[in-house]
């Protein structure tokens, strides 16, 4: 990728400063007999190679197994890249140098076997420590326990001390630092299993849909599972039992006609903006988006100034509001803030002495969180079938991304048909509780909260959203549709595409989409609040979509071809992407980020120059126009009539001739001297122009020869295309004459019925299966718990606490199985009817035998 003049200048200055920096290397050599007098010199220097040529990718002979939506790369945001090897079941740690020696390069260290060095660089009044320059630091990390599950994704926590190994059945966390023991050439790292009592049931009934590190904590993990429960685990306290549980109930029981409306798909934490930092966005398979607020991990850290901002906002616009609902909601929010962050009440006396505040364990004893949603677009009606889905989107929702760009909260939904639905929040998120629905708390002997669980129900908000000056009314924020991006992926007869979404950390306006066909880049040019504050009018500016990595072979995408993707960036404003193929080939691309969002300014009032003016302007000025105009006219002085009778050798004649000679010399001789100097000065330039013209003439002649050679081939291809066109026209005419071509098309009702059948087959049937599996898992767990209670109970007592619930679960399961059986019978009946109609129509259209 070429650099502009400004970027090249800045890059040159940056490299000059880099060369002028002070570098200090401390080298230690291991010794079996330590001696203080022994000289410590490195035997092998560390070797820096381009990342695609690292031995991990060049010397590896195997390939990873294909899996849907797999990402085995992670970056700690500084200098370390992690890659999970599915064959050896180990984690590779690579140390990187970004943009050194040129902006397009990414170097990785090839570890030495003898020396151990520390590389310190003093640059711009700051110290940069290349931890990647530890050659003897082992680059292969191995778990201390047997990992008998397939890893689909890895992700690193905020401070880079632990990596999550994500599998559909099991979740494990590997700690990268701390107590490790050597085994062969690898480092054995402590590895724990998360939620083994909940997810590792063996029957794969409860599947893990998504697991993410919380952005404000290094030890909290958020997990969304197929039983419609969102859980938060605190790994520092208890990795087996969740700290918080939220049972999601988007619709009332028995009121939903679509099973996909109760099946979650993905979730995302909010960003650093007002109440968004306490929010969890949850996506369901029908495209509906719900919000939980506030959700705060116990012990997480938040900026004090941000908390003071929302605290003052609740006091200003909530309590002082004339609306009783707004006043009540704001009082609940203020009481929650004061209990979760007690230091907020002392800010007036202490001032800004605290920069970070730690969240205390707290929950309202008589209220549970409301599942706000589904979020509707501005002007959208309250019909349940129209929520979330769009006419341009096909299939089901597969992934979700929250992106904070300046003042705008962007929500991106990916669909299995290959479309991206991009929306922005048109209003601020605010916390909402349902009073009268107390949560279930787990406390210790000192009445300190250890965990909580609550049922989060959705409040019916079917009315249209209207702008209202009163805040804190409890209404979910509306969505402003920014764009529908079609990735133009080849059509698939299977269940569709699994699309993963990523944010460019350097430029948040850019979003990467990873799918089976490669990687695409989407850049947003219009942001409602940001563009308005900057004074830009880009309402008609659509997002720009570019294909970065294309793995489609002849337009077909049969299976995934990438197993890893990550976006890199440095402090100098350069950005790269790294992709790993299934054959373990590494691809590194530098991404353009400078002036990418600046619009192209065209002066419409300036007239366009004609061809003659352009040709005249392109001709370089070799000789000045003053010399081309010739010498100046000589003004002969006025002579008396008696001058002709004067002899030339007389004194008066000689004076007159000397005056004329001097005048002509000043005019013609000086002009000739100027012409000589001008021609002598421009001779090399003229020679260069002539040589350039000759070379261009030679290139033009060679191009003409190539065109003449290809003319015959093009003529043959043109004749072949014309013949093919004529043959296709003849075949089309023959097909039009067939009796089947006049088959009556489906009516509107039949088309609607067919679309409902297709939707039921793709979305609803999977949702029903997952619901049955979740209910079966709950029933099995409840039966095991009841058996355990019966074994531990005393002989004189009888406990019948769970009999009613068991009977209710059994009846619900039987009803659901009956509904599923009836729906399957209806589908089979419709398919048989359609098959019979096709057979009858084909028999009628078949010509009679002679």
């Amino acid at each position: 990728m070429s650099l502009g003049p400004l970027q090249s200048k800045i890059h040159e200055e940056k490299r000059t400063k880099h060369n002028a920096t002070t570098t200090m290397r401390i080298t230690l050599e291991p010794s079996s007999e330590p001696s203080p007098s022994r000289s410590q010199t490195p035997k092998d220097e560390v070797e820096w190679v381009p990342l695609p040529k690292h031995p991990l990718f060049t010397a590896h002979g195997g390939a990873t197994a294909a899996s849907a939506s797999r990402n085995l790369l992670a970056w700690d945001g500084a200098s370390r890249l992690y890659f999970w090897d599915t064959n050896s079941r180990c984690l590779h740690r690579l140390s990187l140098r970004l943009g050194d020696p040129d902006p397009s390069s990414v170097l990785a260290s090839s570890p030495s076997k003898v020396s151990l060095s520390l590389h310190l660089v003093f640059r711009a009044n700051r110290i940069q420590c290349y931890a990647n320059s530890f050659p003897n630091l082992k680059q292969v990390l191995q778990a201390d326990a047997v990992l008998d599950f397939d890893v689909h994704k890895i992700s690193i926590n905020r401070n880079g001390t632990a990596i999550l190994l994500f599998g559909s059945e099991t979740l494990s966390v590997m700690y990268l630092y701390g107590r490790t023991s050597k085994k062969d050439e690898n480092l054995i790292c402590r590895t724990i299993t998360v939620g083994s009592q909940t997810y590792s049931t063996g029957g794969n009934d409860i599947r893990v849909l998504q697991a993410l590190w919380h952005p404000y904590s290094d030890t909290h993990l958020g997990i969304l599972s197929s039983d419609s429960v969102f859980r938060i685990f605190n790994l520092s306290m208890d990795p087996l039992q969740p700290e918080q549980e939220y049972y999601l109930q988007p619709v009332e029981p028995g009121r939903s006609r679509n099973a996909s409306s109760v099946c979650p798909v993905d979730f995302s934490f909010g960003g650093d903006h007002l109440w968004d930092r306490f929010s969890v966005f949850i996506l369901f398979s029908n495209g509906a988006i719900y919000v939980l607020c506030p959700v705060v991990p116990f012990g997480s850290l938040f900026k004090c100034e941000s908390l003071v901002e929302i605290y003052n906002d609740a006091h200003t616009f909530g309590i002082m509001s004339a609306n009783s609902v707004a006043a009540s909601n704001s009082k609940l929010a203020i009481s929650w803030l004061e209990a979760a962050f007690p230091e907020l009440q002392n800010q007036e006396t202490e001032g800004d002495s605290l920069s970070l505040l730690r969240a205390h364990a707290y929950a309202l004893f008589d209220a549970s969180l409301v599942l706000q949603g589904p979020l509707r677009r501005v002007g959208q009606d309250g019909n349940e079938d129209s929520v979330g889905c769009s006419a341009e989107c096909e299939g089901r929702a597969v992934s979700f991304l929250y992106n904070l760009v300046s003042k705008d909260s962007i929500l991106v939904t990916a669909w299995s048909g290959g479309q991206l639905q991009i929306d922005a929040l048109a209003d601020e998120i605010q916390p909402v509780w349902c009073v009268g629905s107390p949560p279930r708390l787990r406390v210790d002997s000192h009445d300190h909260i250890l965990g909580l669980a609550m049922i989060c129900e959705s409040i019916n908000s079917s009315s249209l959203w209207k702008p209202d000056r009163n805040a804190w009314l409890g209404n979910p924020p509306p969505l402003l549709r920014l764009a529908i991006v079609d990735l133009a992926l080849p059509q698939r007869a299977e269940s569709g595409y699994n699309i993963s979404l990523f944010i460019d950390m350097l430029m948040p306006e850019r979003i990467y989409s990873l799918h089976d066909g490669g990687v695409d880049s989407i850049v947003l040019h219009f942001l409602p609040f940001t563009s308005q504050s900057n004074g830009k009018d880009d309402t008609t500016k659509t997002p720009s979509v570019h294909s970065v990595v294309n793995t489609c072979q002849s337009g077909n995408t049969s299976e995934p071809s990438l197993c890893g993707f990550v976006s890199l960036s440095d402090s100098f404003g350069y950005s790269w992407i790294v992709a790993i193929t299934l054959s373990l080939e590494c691809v590194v691309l530098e991404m353009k980020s400078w002036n990418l969002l600046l619009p192209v300014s065209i002066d419409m009032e300036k007239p366009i120059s004609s061809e003659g003016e352009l040709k005249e302007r392109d001709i370089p000025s070799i000789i000045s126009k003053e010399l081309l105009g010739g010498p100046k006219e000589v003004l002969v002085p006025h002579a008396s009539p008696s001058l002709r009778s004067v002899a030339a050798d007389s004194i008066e004649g000689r004076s007159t001739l000397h005056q004329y000679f001097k005048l002509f010399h000043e005019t013609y001789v000086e002009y000739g001297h100027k012409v000589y100097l001008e021609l002598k000065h421009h001779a090399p330039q003229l020679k260069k122009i002539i040589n350039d013209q000759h070379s261009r003439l030679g290139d033009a002649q060679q191009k003409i020869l190539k065109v003449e050679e290809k003319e015959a081939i093009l003529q043959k291809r043109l004749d072949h295309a014309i013949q093919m066109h004529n043959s296709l026209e003849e075949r089309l005419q023959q097909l039009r004459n067939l009796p089947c071509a006049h088959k009556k098309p489906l009516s509107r009702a039949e088309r609607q019925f067919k679309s409902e059948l297709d939707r039921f087959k793709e979305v609803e049937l999977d949702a029903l299966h997952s619901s049955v599996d979740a209910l079966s898992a709950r029933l099995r767990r409840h039966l095991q718990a009841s058996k355990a209670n019966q074994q531990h109970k005393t002989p004189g007592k009888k406990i019948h606490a769970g009999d009613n619930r068991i009977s209710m679960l059994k009846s619900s399961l039987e009803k659901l199985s009956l509904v599923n059986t009836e729906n399957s019978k209806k589908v089979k009946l419709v398919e048989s009817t359609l098959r019979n109609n096709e057979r009858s129509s084909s028999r009628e259209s078949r010509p009679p035998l002679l």
Side-chain angles (χ1 to χ4, degrees):
M1 185 175 293
S2 61
L3 299 175
L6 177 61
Q7 190 173 0
S8 301
K9 184 177 180 182
I10 295 175
H11 173 65
E12 183 178 359
E13 294 178 357
K14 181 188 76 170
R15 295 306 168 199
T16 305
K17 294 180 181 178
H18 174 72
N19 296 330
T21 55
T22 303
T23 304
M24 179 179 68
R25 177 170 299 174
I26 304 172
T27 307
L28 300 177
E29 184 179 5
S31 175
S32 58
E33 297 179 359
S35 175
S37 62
R38 183 175 179 178
S39 62
Q40 296 176 356
T41 57
K43 294 183 179 180
D44 294 332
E45 293 291 336
V46 76
E47 182 182 1
W48 294 92
V49 297
L51 183 58
K53 297 182 180 180
H54 194 273
L56 174 62
F57 306 114
T58 57
H60 206 291
T64 61
S67 175
S69 182
R70 169 174 290 189
N71 188 15
L72 304 179
L73 272 181
W75 184 49
D76 64 350
S79 62
R80 294 186 181 276
L81 184 70
Y82 295 89
F83 175 69
W84 177 260
D85 191 349
T86 57
N87 296 325
S88 58
R89 296 185 181 273
C90 61
L91 186 68
H92 295 271
R93 176 169 52 197
L94 304 179
S95 301
L96 302 182
R97 279 186 180 177
L98 304 177
D100 189 12
D102 56 86
S104 61
S105 65
V106 176
L107 301 182
S109 63
S110 181
S112 174
K113 297 182 180 179
V114 178
S115 63
L116 172 63
S117 65
L118 173 63
H119 197 119
L120 296 179
V121 176
F122 300 89
R123 177 185 298 175
N125 297 327
R126 60 178 178 175
I127 300 177
Q128 292 184 354
C129 176
Y130 285 103
N132 47 31
S133 299
F134 285 92
N136 232 7
L137 186 62
K138 301 302 180 181
Q139 303 296 323
V140 180
L141 311 178
Q142 191 172 355
D144 61 351
V146 179
L147 302 179
D148 55 352
F149 64 94
D150 191 11
V151 177
H152 293 168
K153 182 181 67 174
I154 65 173
S155 61
I156 194 167
N157 62 347
R158 186 179 57 173
N159 61 358
T161 58
I163 272 192
L164 170 67
L165 306 177
F166 176 87
S168 60
E169 301 179 9
T170 307
L171 296 177
S172 295
V173 173
M174 177 186 293
Y175 290 95
L176 306 177
Y177 303 97
R179 299 182 60 185
T180 57
S181 59
K182 294 182 179 180
K183 180 182 178 182
D184 299 334
E185 295 183 357
N186 301 342
L187 286 182
I188 308 301
C189 299
R190 186 171 68 94
T191 306
I192 61 174
T193 303
V194 181
S196 58
Q197 300 177 356
T198 305
Y199 306 113
S200 301
T201 57
N204 197 17
D205 296 320
I206 298 180
R207 295 178 292 105
V208 177
L209 303 176
Q210 181 63 282
L212 297 175
W213 292 100
H214 199 278
Y216 295 99
S217 176
D218 301 324
T219 60
H220 283 84
L221 198 65
I223 300 175
L224 180 66
S225 53
S226 59
D227 57 347
S228 299
V229 181
F230 175 72
R231 298 177 176 89
I232 294 181
F233 287 84
N234 188 358
L235 305 184
S236 62
M237 299 296 293
D238 189 359
L240 302 179
Q241 191 171 7
E243 178 186 89
Q244 303 177 34
E245 290 183 292
Y246 300 93
Y247 292 83
L248 309 177
Q249 192 168 334
V251 294
E252 296 182 7
R255 294 196 59 180
S256 176
R257 294 179 297 172
N258 301 327
S260 60
S261 61
V262 296
C263 292
V265 174
D266 199 355
F267 82 96
S268 180
F269 292 107
D272 191 12
H273 176 72
L274 297 180
W275 287 95
D276 289 14
R277 58 178 57 87
F278 301 138
S279 302
V280 179
F281 297 84
I282 302 172
L283 175 70
F284 285 77
S285 57
N286 63 341
I289 302 173
Y290 292 83
V291 182
L292 279 177
C293 180
V295 176
V296 179
F298 301 157
S300 54
L301 297 175
F302 294 88
K303 295 181 181 179
C304 180
E305 56 182 0
S306 302
L307 298 175
V308 171
E309 180 183 4
I310 60 177
Y311 184 70
N312 295 334
D313 177 77
H315 275 282
T316 304
F317 300 99
I319 294 181
M320 298 182 182
S321 176
N323 194 314
S324 60
V325 178
S328 176
N329 291 335
S330 61
K331 286 181 181 178
L332 290 175
I334 291 173
S335 64
W336 180 85
L337 283 172
E338 292 177 349
F341 304 96
E343 297 83 0
L344 285 177
Q345 301 178 7
N346 303 326
Q347 285 300 309
E348 297 181 357
T349 58
E350 296 181 3
D352 296 333
S353 59
L354 298 177
S355 59
L356 296 176
L357 298 182
R358 187 176 298 275
H360 292 247
Y362 177 74
L364 298 177
F365 291 95
D366 59 342
S368 297
L369 293 182
V370 171
L371 187 61
Q372 303 182 45
L375 305 185
R376 291 182 169 85
R377 298 194 305 271
V378 176
Q380 188 180 18
D381 57 4
N383 186 12
E384 179 189 355
D385 297 334
S386 63
V387 173
C389 60
S390 180
E392 297 86 356
C393 300
E394 301 176 358
R396 67 185 188 280
V398 291
S399 62
F400 177 77
L401 176 69
Y402 172 91
N403 186 16
L404 179 64
V405 184
S406 185
K407 299 180 180 180
D408 291 276
S409 300
I410 308 300
L411 308 181
V412 185
T413 303
W415 295 79
S416 60
Q419 295 82 24
L420 300 182
Q421 178 179 308
I422 305 176
D423 300 309
L425 290 179
D427 203 350
E428 301 296 343
I429 295 176
Q430 292 165 348
V432 182
W433 284 270
C434 179
V435 181
S437 177
R440 183 177 179 181
L441 303 179
R442 188 176 75 253
V443 297
D444 58 4
S445 57
H446 302 284
D447 292 336
H448 295 159
I449 298 178
L450 300 179
L452 60 88
M454 61 179 67
I455 299 176
C456 302
E457 299 178 345
S458 177
I459 298 177
N460 187 14
S461 57
S462 59
S463 59
L464 290 175
W465 177 83
K466 297 179 181 179
D468 197 342
R469 296 182 180 179
N470 295 327
W472 295 93
L473 295 179
N475 297 325
L479 298 177
L480 179 63
R481 177 60 50 84
L482 298 183
I484 296 290
V485 177
D486 192 351
L487 301 178
L489 300 178
Q491 293 185 358
R492 231 178 184 181
E494 303 172 1
S495 59
Y497 292 92
N498 288 296
I499 302 176
S500 302
L501 302 173
F502 302 90
I503 304 175
D504 192 337
M505 304 306 295
L506 181 65
M507 190 175 69
E509 293 88 353
R510 178 159 51 195
I511 301 170
Y512 297 107
S513 63
L514 174 64
H515 46 79
D516 298 347
V519 181
D520 293 330
S521 170
I522 301 96
V523 179
L524 304 177
H525 298 283
F526 168 67
L527 300 169
F529 297 102
T530 305
S531 301
Q532 184 179 5
S533 61
N534 295 337
K536 297 181 181 180
D537 187 12
D538 296 336
T539 54
T540 58
K541 189 73 174 179
T542 58
S544 58
V545 184
H546 303 281
S547 178
V548 181
V549 179
N550 186 9
T551 59
C552 298
Q553 298 180 357
S554 67
N556 297 323
T557 57
S558 57
E559 59 183 14
S561 55
L562 298 177
C563 65
F565 176 83
V566 72
S567 173
L568 310 178
S569 62
D570 64 355
S571 58
F572 295 101
Y574 295 100
S575 176
W576 304 264
I577 63 169
V578 179
I580 306 296
T581 63
L582 291 178
S583 58
L584 292 185
E585 296 179 1
C586 181
V587 179
V588 179
L589 297 176
E590 181 189 4
M591 300 303 297
K592 180 180 178 182
S593 58
W594 289 46
N595 301 331
L596 188 60
L597 298 176
L598 295 179
V600 180
S601 58
I602 301 175
D603 191 1
M604 303 302 295
E605 298 180 357
K606 187 177 181 180
I608 301 176
S609 303
S610 60
E611 296 182 1
E613 295 179 357
L614 292 175
K615 291 181 180 179
E616 186 177 354
R617 188 184 303 170
D618 294 339
I619 298 175
S621 59
I622 304 301
I623 302 177
S624 62
K625 295 182 179 180
E626 182 180 358
L627 296 180
L628 292 176
K632 297 180 181 180
E633 295 181 0
V634 180
L635 299 177
V636 181
H638 181 71
S640 61
S642 62
L643 185 64
R644 294 183 179 180
S645 61
V646 176
D649 55 349
S650 62
I651 296 175
E652 185 179 359
R654 289 180 180 179
S655 175
T656 304
L657 289 175
H658 180 71
Q659 183 180 1
Y660 285 168
F661 178 76
K662 182 179 180 181
L663 181 65
F664 290 154
H665 182 272
E666 290 177 356
T667 304
Y668 293 102
V669 175
E670 289 184 2
Y671 172 75
H673 185 65
K674 288 181 180 179
V675 171
Y676 172 75
L677 293 177
E678 189 80 14
L679 293 177
K680 184 178 179 180
H681 175 71
H682 289 288
Q685 187 175 1
L686 289 172
K687 184 178 180 181
K688 181 180 179 181
I689 293 175
I690 291 172
N691 294 334
D692 186 26
Q693 295 292 339
H694 279 296
S695 63
R696 293 177 63 184
L697 179 61
D699 294 340
Q701 290 177 353
Q702 291 181 359
K703 291 181 180 178
I704 291 173
L705 292 177
K706 290 181 180 179
V707 170
E708 291 177 354
E709 292 176 357
K710 293 181 180 180
E711 183 180 2
I713 301 175
L714 292 175
Q715 189 64 32
K716 291 181 181 178
R717 294 178 64 182
L718 184 62
D719 296 340
H720 179 69
I722 293 174
Q723 294 178 1
M724 181 64 67
H725 177 70
N726 295 332
S727 63
L728 289 176
E729 281 189 349
E730 293 178 359
R731 293 182 62 185
L732 181 61
Q733 190 63 30
Q734 293 176 1
L735 291 174
R736 287 177 179 173
N737 296 330
L738 291 176
C740 295
H742 304 284
K743 187 177 180 180
K744 183 180 179 181
L746 296 176
S747 62
R748 182 178 181 181
E750 291 174 344
R751 290 196 301 270
Q752 291 179 355
F753 183 65
K754 187 176 182 300
S755 63
E756 289 180 1
L757 288 178
D758 295 338
R759 183 173 178 276
F760 183 83
K761 181 179 179 181
E762 295 177 357
V763 181
E764 300 295 332
L765 201 57
D766 296 338
L768 286 173
H769 283 309
S770 61
S771 300
V772 171
D773 294 340
L775 287 175
S776 302
R778 289 185 181 181
L779 179 60
R780 189 180 302 109
R781 188 176 304 153
H782 198 80
L783 289 175
Q784 292 176 358
S786 62
K787 289 180 180 179
N789 292 333
Q790 289 179 2
Q791 291 177 0
H792 290 85
K793 68 181 181 179
T794 57
K797 297 182 180 180
K798 294 184 179 180
I799 301 176
H800 303 282
D803 293 342
N804 295 330
R805 295 183 180 179
I806 294 173
S807 60
M808 291 175 63
L809 284 174
K810 286 183 178 180
S811 61
S812 301
L813 184 61
E814 292 176 358
K815 290 180 181 179
L816 189 58
S817 62
L818 290 175
V819 172
N820 192 10
T821 305
E822 292 178 357
N823 290 332
S824 302
K825 291 181 180 179
K826 290 180 181 179
V827 171
K828 291 181 181 179
L829 181 60
V830 171
E831 289 179 352
S832 62
T833 305
L834 292 175
R835 197 178 298 109
N836 294 332
N837 292 336
E838 290 177 357
R839 289 177 181 175
S840 61
S841 59
S842 61
R843 290 176 182 175
E844 292 176 358
S845 59
R846 185 179 302 170
L849 298 175
L850 297 179

